[in-house]
Amino acid sequence: MKNNFKFLSALIKLRLSHIMTFRLGFFGPFFIDTSYFLVQIFAFEAIYGHVDSIRGWGHGEILIFIGTFSLINALNMTIYFFGVISIPEKIQTGELDLYLTKPVNPLLRITFEKVNPGSIPLLLFSACIIIYGAKECGTSFSGANVIGYLLMILLMAILYYDMELLIRCFAFFVFSVNNLVKIESTAIELCLKIPGIAFYGIYKVVFYCILPYGIIATLPTQMLIGVLSLKGILFGMTIVCVFTFLALSFWKYGVHKYESASC
Amino acid sequence: MKKYLEIAKAYMKTQLIWRWDTFIDVVLAMAKVIFAWILWSILFEGKEQIAGMGFYTMISYYIISSYLFQLDKSSEISQQMTNMLRNGTFSKYMVIPVHTQAYFVAMAAGKIVFSACICFFTTILCFYFSGISFVAAINIKILFCGAIMIALGLLFMAELNYFLGILTLKFEEISTFLMIKDNFSAFVTGAVVPLALLPEWMLSGMRYLPFYYVTYLPSMLLIGKQG
C-alpha cells in the first residue's frame, strides 16, 4: 500500500512536468470542460425555463443536481478520465504489454497516469452552482448532511469510474468500442438533464441498476437536501460495490484473455 | 467530377463491411429518440405545450433532428486527417490526381448516402412504434428548401471538420478543438434541445451562425413549424 502511494506520487509528478511542456494540452481540459459546462447550463435554462418543478424538485434542487453532476464529472476529468479512455487504444496497439510486464498494478498505473489539473477550475464552477442552488432552496443544511453529501460524491465518483472501465474493457473482445462509448454518452446526457427521482417503472430499473447513471447525481443531491433514507444510502453503497466488483472482474478476465496485438 | 463520384461510391460500399457499426448506428438513433421520449414525457406531465410545441410535435422534432444528426459523418474527416498527418500516410493524397479537400468531401458524401438510407428506415420505425403521425410540411417548396438546407448544412460540417483536421499541421494535438466543437455543435445545431426553447435574444443570435441551418431549421421546416 505504501509503495503504491509512493508510486502514485512519482507518477503524478512526472505527469505534471510532462503537461507543462505543452501549454495548450495543459489548458485543453479546462476549455473542454468549460464548453461542456456552458452547454449544460444553456440546456438547463432552455428546459427548466419552461418547467417549474419535477416530482417535487424545484429550481434550487435541480441546480444542486446539475452542479453535483458537473462536480463528479470534474473529478472524473481531473483524476482518471484521460487514463481510462486510453485503454482501448492500448489494447489495439499492443501497448498494454508494456504495462503488464512492469512490477506495478497495470490498472493502477493506467488510471492515474494521465491526471490532469486543467479541470480543477470546473470543480470551483460546480461548487458555485451548488451553493447558488442551495440558496435558491432556501433551507439550511446540517453538517451531517454536508459530510454525507461529500461521502456520496466520493462513492459516485467511484461508480462513474466503474462504468467507464466496464465499457472500455469491451475492447479486449471487440474491434472498436466507439459506438458503445456513444451509447454511454447518450445515457449520461439524458441522466444529466433529469434527476433520477423522475424515472419510473422499467426506466427506473434501467437507470438505477443496469446503467446506474440515474443515481450518480441524484443520491448526493437527496443526501444534501436531507431526503435520502437509510434504504437509499444502502442501495447506493450496494450498487457501488457490485459495479466495482464487476468492473475489476471484467478487467481481470480481459487481461487473462488478452493475446497482445501481435497474435 | 466523375472521379469524386467514384470516390463517394467506393466509400459508400466500404460502409457495408462494418455491418455491426451500421447496426449500432441504428440502435443509437433509436436510443436517442427513446431517451427524448423519456425526458419529454416527464417534463410534459400536466402540461399541454412547452414553448408552443405539443408532446408529439416535440418527439417528431427529435426523430427528425436525430436522423439529420446521425447523417453527419464528417467528424471522421478531422480524426482521419490528424492520424494520417501524424503517422506520415497523409502524403498518399498528394501523389494522386485529386484535390485533397474535395476527396474528403466526396468521402463524407459516400458515407452519408449509405447512412441516409439506413437511418431513413430507422426513422420510419421510430414513427411507427411511437404511433406518431408524421407532421410534415405539405408545401413542396418548403420541403425543397429543407432538402437544400440539409445538403448545404452537411457540406458546411464537412468543410469545418476538414479545417479542424488541417490544424494538425500547426498544433501538437487537436483533440481539444474537436471536443469543444462537438460540445458546441451538439447544442447550437439544436440536437440537444430544440432552439425554440431558448430565450429570443439567444435564438436571434444563433441565426447568424451556420449551425442553425444544419439540423434545427430543416427539422422545424419538416414538422411544419416554420416557413
Side-chain angles (χ1 to χ4, degrees):
Chain A
M1 193 67 172
K2 198 180 163 190
N3 283 344
N4 279 345
F5 277 116
K6 267 189 184 173
F7 170 71
L8 281 182
S9 128
L11 201 65
I12 291 168
K13 268 184 202 165
L14 271 175
R15 172 69 182 156
L16 289 179
S17 57
H18 176 256
I19 53 177
M20 287 292 185
T21 322
F22 302 103
R23 273 166 288 172
L24 186 72
F26 179 78
F27 290 108
F30 170 68
F31 292 127
I32 295 167
D33 279 357
T34 308
S35 66
Y36 186 70
F37 185 74
L38 285 175
V39 165
Q40 292 315 323
I41 292 288
F42 287 141
F44 168 81
E45 263 310 309
I47 295 171
Y48 291 98
H50 300 271
V51 179
D52 299 326
S53 69
I54 291 184
R55 305 269 159 95
W57 278 19
H59 272 218
E61 285 87 353
I62 301 282
L63 271 171
I64 296 175
F65 168 79
I66 301 265
T68 303
F69 214 121
S70 177
L71 184 72
I72 294 168
N73 182 44
L75 282 174
N76 158 51
M77 294 283 276
T78 310
I79 304 169
Y80 48 75
F81 176 74
F82 291 99
V84 176
I85 60 163
S86 68
I87 290 175
E89 195 194 336
K90 286 186 169 64
I91 295 168
Q92 279 160 12
T93 57
E95 200 190 330
L96 190 66
D97 297 5
L98 299 174
Y99 291 78
L100 297 175
T101 49
K102 296 274 188 315
V104 182
N105 183 338
L107 186 58
L108 183 80
R109 186 179 158 195
I110 290 174
T111 303
F112 294 104
E113 76 173 353
K114 286 192 179 166
V115 166
N116 205 315
S119 296
I120 289 175
L122 189 66
L123 289 171
L124 302 175
F125 292 157
S126 309
C128 291
I129 294 271
I130 294 164
I131 293 167
Y132 182 69
K135 274 190 178 173
E136 280 257 306
C137 278
T139 48
S140 54
F141 305 116
S142 69
N145 282 359
V146 176
I147 292 168
Y149 174 75
L150 294 175
L151 287 174
M152 264 301 165
I153 291 279
L154 186 71
L155 276 180
M156 294 302 130
I158 295 171
L159 182 62
Y160 206 118
Y161 170 78
D162 294 336
M163 294 303 294
E164 275 179 356
L165 180 63
L166 261 173
I167 286 169
R168 269 78 189 177
C169 279
F170 276 97
F172 281 112
F173 311 98
V174 295
F175 178 71
S176 164
V177 290
N178 287 351
N179 282 319
L180 277 175
V181 171
K182 279 184 195 166
I183 290 177
E184 176 198 34
S185 52
T186 311
I188 291 175
E189 208 178 275
L190 171 77
C191 294
L192 180 61
K193 287 199 197 99
I194 37 174
I197 51 155
F199 292 121
Y200 52 86
I202 184 76
Y203 304 133
K204 192 160 189 167
V205 176
V206 171
F207 292 111
Y208 268 52
C209 303
I210 300 168
L211 292 170
Y213 298 111
I215 64 168
I216 283 179
T218 306
L219 293 189
T221 308
Q222 284 180 311
M223 179 63 102
L224 188 66
I225 59 177
V227 294
L228 187 64
S229 62
L230 183 66
K231 206 171 129 190
I233 297 171
L234 288 175
F235 173 75
M237 288 165 78
T238 311
I239 286 288
V240 175
C241 291
V242 168
F243 274 86
T244 305
F245 172 76
L246 283 176
L248 294 180
S249 306
F250 198 34
W251 164 261
K252 275 185 191 162
Y253 181 68
V255 170
H256 179 68
K257 292 279 173 191
Y258 175 65
E259 292 177 322
S260 183
S262 56
C263 293
Chain B
M1 190 64 192
K2 200 181 165 196
K3 60 189 170 190
Y4 296 112
L5 215 65
E6 287 304 318
I7 292 166
K9 251 196 237 173
Y11 275 99
M12 196 175 81
K13 285 176 189 165
T14 318
Q15 297 304 296
L16 287 168
I17 302 168
W18 312 111
R19 274 171 241 168
W20 275 102
D21 268 17
T22 310
F23 174 72
I24 296 285
D25 251 10
V26 171
V27 171
L28 195 66
M30 293 186 94
K32 268 181 177 290
V33 175
I34 293 167
F35 287 173
W37 184 286
I38 299 169
L39 173 72
W40 291 104
S41 61
I42 291 165
L43 295 174
F44 265 93
E45 267 176 15
K47 283 191 177 58
E48 286 289 312
Q49 286 198 331
I50 291 180
M53 293 168 92
F55 176 67
Y56 288 112
T57 315
M58 188 69 86
I59 297 300
S60 297
Y61 171 84
Y62 268 95
I63 294 174
I64 295 168
S65 72
S66 168
Y67 171 66
L68 297 178
F69 195 70
Q70 285 301 107
L71 280 191
D72 178 29
K73 299 280 170 199
S74 58
S75 60
E76 289 166 22
I77 292 179
S78 37
Q79 207 56 59
Q80 195 172 331
M81 280 178 75
T82 190
N83 289 341
M84 289 182 139
L85 281 165
R86 284 278 159 258
N87 62 30
T89 49
F90 192 77
S91 51
K92 80 172 186 187
Y93 299 112
M94 292 168 185
V95 293
I96 52 174
V98 288
H99 190 277
T100 317
Q101 190 175 353
Y103 179 95
F104 279 101
V105 172
M107 179 187 92
K111 288 180 180 178
I112 286 168
V113 171
F114 178 79
S115 185
C117 300
I118 296 292
C119 290
F120 181 74
F121 292 110
T122 316
T123 308
I124 299 286
L125 276 178
C126 283
F127 273 111
Y128 178 75
F129 284 118
S130 59
I132 304 170
S133 51
F134 181 50
V135 200
I138 308 296
N139 190 330
I140 197 84
K141 272 185 196 166
I142 289 178
L143 284 176
F144 183 66
C145 287
I148 290 178
M149 224 170 268
I150 291 166
L152 287 176
L154 292 170
L155 179 66
F156 163 73
M157 291 307 283
E159 296 291 358
L160 175 71
N161 281 298
Y162 180 78
F163 169 72
L164 289 171
I166 288 176
L167 290 180
T168 314
L169 298 168
K170 188 80 184 158
F171 295 96
E172 191 226 356
E173 65 104 42
I174 59 159
S175 61
T176 303
F177 298 113
L178 298 183
M179 283 169 132
I180 293 172
K181 183 263 302 175
D182 286 344
N183 283 344
F184 275 117
S185 68
F187 180 70
V188 294
T189 54
V192 175
V193 284
L195 300 182
L197 299 182
L198 294 174
E200 190 50 44
W201 62 268
M202 205 184 261
L203 192 60
S204 318
M206 290 221 175
R207 287 197 184 106
Y208 293 100
L209 298 175
F211 298 100
Y212 179 87
Y213 304 92
V214 175
T215 307
Y216 175 69
L217 195 60
S219 305
M220 291 298 267
L221 283 175
L222 291 175
I223 60 169
K225 272 285 167 188
Q226 276 181 15

